[in-house]
Amino acid sequence: MLSLRHNGKMKRTQIQLDEETYAALRRQAYKTDRSMSSLIREVLAKTLRPSKKRRRTLKQFSFVAIGRSRQGELAPVSDHHDEALLEAWERSRKR
């Protein structure tokens, strides 16, 4: 569950929901034993507050350079790029 920190000062607002959305919100509030207001605040907080960006690691980009190939019999690779990519991919799977 998202922690909703606030400075104690909250503003009151009024929204209008279609019946289907209202019913879904009410069901979810009942299922989670929470108020509809707290669910709305959570959804808005998740949507509107900037998230902390996670740093990406090199492992997440394992596909980079998969297309490197030895020119060999596929030269020029610019004309045979699909075959060269397949060859490089198959080599990387064998490792």
Side-chain angles (χ1 to χ4, degrees), residues 18-41:
D18 60 72
E19 289 183 29
E20 186 179 325
T21 302
Y22 179 82
L25 177 62
R26 190 170 178 179
R27 279 191 305 275
Q28 185 65 23
Y30 180 79
K31 281 181 4 185
T32 58
D33 196 30
R34 295 175 60 192
S35 69
M36 293 191 309
S37 295
S38 72
L39 288 175
I40 291 169
R41 283 192 298 270

Side-chain angles (χ1 to χ4, degrees), residues 4-5 12 14 16 29-31 34 36 40-41 43 47 55 64 78 81 90:
L4 297 175
R5 295 182 191 168
R12 181 178 296 272
Q14 185 175 1
Q16 295 180 333
Y30 180 79
K31 281 181 4 185
R34 295 175 60 192
M36 293 191 309
I40 291 169
R41 283 192 298 270
V43 169
T47 304
R55 298 191 81 192
V64 172
S78 59
H81 50 81
E90 287 174 342

Side-chain angles (χ1 to χ4, degrees), residues 55-65:
R55 298 191 81 192
R56 296 191 182 271
T57 64
L58 197 53
K59 285 183 180 180
Q60 291 171 306
F61 294 100
S62 60
F63 60 88
V64 172

Side-chain angles (χ1 to χ4, degrees), residues 61-75:
F61 294 100
S62 60
F63 60 88
V64 172
I66 197 169
R68 287 187 187 162
S69 66
R70 295 176 189 93
Q71 291 285 314
E73 60 193 53
L74 295 175

